[in-house]
Amino acid sequence: MAEFDKELQVIKSSRDEIITRWYSLLTEAFPDFYGSEELRRQAEYYFDFTVDLHIPVETHELNERVPLWSRNLVDRGLPLHHIFRSTSYWRAAVFDVLENKIEPEIPNPIPFLAVIIRRIEYIQEMVCSHYIERTSSRLKDKERALTQLHDDRLSLIGKMAASMAHEIRNPLTSIKGFLKLIRESLSAHESSDKTIRYLSVVENEFENINMQITGFLSFSKKRVIEEPVIRLTAKQLLDSVISLLNPRFLSENVNLVIDLEDDADLYIQKVAVQQVLSNVINNGLDAMEEVKYEKEMHICGYSRPGCYILEIANNGPEVNPRILDELFEPFVTDKEEGTGLGLAVCKTIMQKNGGEIGCVTGPKRTTFLLTFRTHSVEG
């Protein structure tokens, strides 16, 4: 542009001074990131772009180098704000030189500076765009890798669970059969209240083991699908679990309060969802083991549009904030002897039954929320 010949002459004559000034500002601000000769060579390309006013920004050869610059920034782990600081320092270096060397016959350098600023901002925008695009691509790659790792881990758990269940359920089937024979063979004269009571305890513990196995099999898609979806009320579901856990409430002196504001028909896999309730309630009882004050568990149920919610609250200690966000992921636990699979099982079962599970915790109260859809679910 002929109209800026004098300004260009001044700035071109100060090329080394501008580059040195910019390089000094950048390396002083970020001494751990910069300092190579490659940076100076990039500055030379940048300078040529700045003063090549006769070449439109869109067609300048510097555009071909921008993707490489952006890739290097991402690969070296440089944050995005470095780009803005670098642009700011380049602009300052140019302005400092012009302020000190502008000739008296150029009384108004503002139009020239406006053109320079637009070219500088164009490159800044291009570098940022490529930087964000590459960063997003990397994040998506990492997300895909993590998802695959998670899926592989769940698949392994499913295979282990299926193998374990097969080995355990064979003898359990025999135990169940003999328990039935024993109860049938006891005549009114031979049996006593104590014998019947002991037999009931054994049968209850058998059902607990059976529910545990069903829960672990939730990682195996095939096995959970085999259990049919049935209709039962929230009260029936809760009663079936509490009846098995009542001995623990009594032995550990835990005050259980049940408050069902209303009832609702649920369409679920009964044994699998029983395992969810059993796991959450047992976790709450575990949490209150060290509580010195009065122990209390409050279970309430209520309807909301399209769903039924069961809240299971205990007054034990707060869930460790460090693991709260990943509480329902496999192998996440703060129990010394815990496997970190229990709540992962619960999440899997709830999802396969069209529901959700969540947790809200605080210093005085921890609540698990089980949300069930109230319309019929096919198969």
Side-chain angles (χ1 to χ4, degrees):
M1 294 185 178
E3 59 180 306
F4 297 131
D5 284 348
K6 292 182 180 180
E7 290 88 342
L8 285 172
Q9 185 178 353
V10 171
I11 198 172
K12 286 180 179 180
S13 66
S14 306
R15 171 180 174 148
D16 291 341
E17 186 178 347
I18 290 173
I19 293 175
T20 300
R21 173 65 175 157
W22 170 79
Y23 183 84
S24 176
L25 288 170
L26 196 60
T27 53
E28 182 179 344
F30 306 110
D32 297 331
F33 291 94
Y34 300 103
S36 66
E37 286 302 314
E38 176 62 25
L39 188 63
R40 285 186 176 273
R41 286 194 291 272
Q42 291 178 5
E44 292 172 359
Y45 290 119
Y46 199 179
F47 181 88
D48 290 341
F49 172 83
T50 304
V51 298
D52 286 344
L53 302 189
H54 61 290
I55 303 177
V57 293
E58 295 82 5
T59 59
H60 198 281
E61 63 176 354
L62 188 68
N63 285 281
E64 299 176 2
R65 298 184 177 273
V66 166
L68 177 61
W69 288 1
S70 303
R71 186 181 68 189
N72 288 339
L73 290 172
V74 175
D75 290 348
R76 294 179 58 194
L78 300 182
L80 185 63
H81 74 268
H82 279 224
I83 299 173
F84 297 96
R85 292 286 289 276
S86 174
T87 300
S88 176
Y89 291 147
W90 184 263
R91 192 162 46 235
V94 172
F95 286 6
D96 287 348
V97 168
L98 287 178
E99 182 180 5
N100 295 329
K101 294 189 175 183
I102 204 74
E103 298 181 8
E105 59 267 27
I106 308 176
N108 183 19
I110 292 179
F112 173 70
L113 293 177
V115 173
I116 293 295
I117 290 173
R118 284 196 294 270
R119 295 182 75 88
I120 292 173
E121 289 180 345
Y122 170 83
I123 286 299
Q124 174 183 276
E125 181 180 346
M126 293 297 295
V127 173
C128 285
S129 177
H130 283 278
Y131 180 99
I132 293 172
E133 181 180 341
R134 184 167 184 82
T135 301
S136 298
S137 176
R138 281 197 167 191
L139 289 175
K140 289 178 181 178
D141 290 342
K142 289 182 178 180
E143 184 177 347
R144 282 193 292 268
L146 288 173
T147 299
Q148 184 61 50
L149 180 62
H150 180 75
D151 291 344
D152 291 344
R153 187 164 60 175
L154 289 182
S155 176
L156 177 60
I157 294 172
K159 292 177 181 177
M160 293 171 58
S163 175
M164 178 189 70
H166 176 73
E167 296 300 326
I168 295 177
R169 274 194 164 161
N170 283 339
L172 280 182
T173 301
S174 298
I175 292 172
K176 183 177 182 180
F178 280 108
L179 285 174
K180 184 178 180 181
L181 290 174
I182 291 172
R183 183 175 286 279
E184 292 175 350
S185 65
L186 288 174
S187 68
H189 300 291
E190 296 173 335
S191 63
S192 65
D193 290 342
K194 183 180 290 187
T195 303
I196 295 297
R197 189 165 62 251
Y198 288 166
L199 186 59
S200 296
V201 170
V202 174
E203 288 172 337
N204 284 344
E205 290 303 317
F206 173 87
E207 290 302 326
N208 276 327
I209 295 173
N210 194 43
M211 284 195 302
Q212 293 287 344
I213 294 173
T214 300
F216 281 112
L217 281 173
S218 65
F219 287 114
S220 176
K221 296 180 180 178
K222 180 179 178 181
R223 178 59 187 88
V224 174
I225 290 174
E226 288 175 359
E227 183 186 349
V229 171
I230 65 172
R231 182 180 68 179
L232 74 164
T233 67
K235 185 177 185 305
Q236 289 172 333
L237 173 66
L238 189 59
D239 287 346
S240 67
V241 176
I242 296 300
S243 64
L244 297 175
L245 298 179
N246 254 331
R248 187 172 180 188
F249 281 101
L250 295 173
S251 65
E252 297 182 18
N253 197 28
V254 176
N255 182 30
L256 174 62
V257 179
I258 298 177
D259 178 19
L260 300 182
E261 295 179 7
D262 46 26
D263 209 350
D265 286 336
L266 306 179
Y267 294 83
I268 57 175
Q269 295 164 310
K270 179 182 177 181
V271 177
V273 177
Q274 280 179 327
Q275 170 59 17
V276 174
L277 276 172
S278 175
N279 202 317
V280 171
I281 292 173
N282 276 311
N283 280 352
L285 293 173
D286 291 342
M288 292 187 287
E289 284 183 351
E290 304 301 324
V291 170
K292 305 302 181 184
Y293 43 86
E294 183 178 355
K295 302 176 184 179
E296 181 175 293
M297 180 170 290
H298 186 191
I299 302 177
C300 68
Y302 51 91
S303 294
R304 291 291 181 268
C307 68
Y308 187 84
I309 300 173
L310 279 176
E311 291 188 4
I312 305 167
N314 68 79
N315 63 342
E318 181 178 11
V319 175
N320 189 336
R322 181 176 57 84
I323 66 170
L324 186 59
D325 290 341
E326 300 176 335
L327 191 60
F328 299 98
E329 296 301 317
F331 309 115
V332 175
T333 181
D334 60 353
K335 294 182 180 179
E336 292 184 5
E337 304 297 328
T339 63
L341 290 177
L343 290 177
V345 166
C346 292
K347 177 182 177 181
T348 303
I349 292 174
M350 291 300 293
Q351 288 177 339
K352 289 180 178 179
N353 280 267
E356 298 176 0
I357 182 171
C359 177
V360 178
T361 188
K364 297 182 180 180
R365 189 180 184 89
T366 295
T367 303
F368 282 83
L369 298 94
L370 308 182
T371 303
F372 301 90
R373 288 188 296 187
T374 50
H375 56 81
S376 176
V377 180
E378 294 294 334

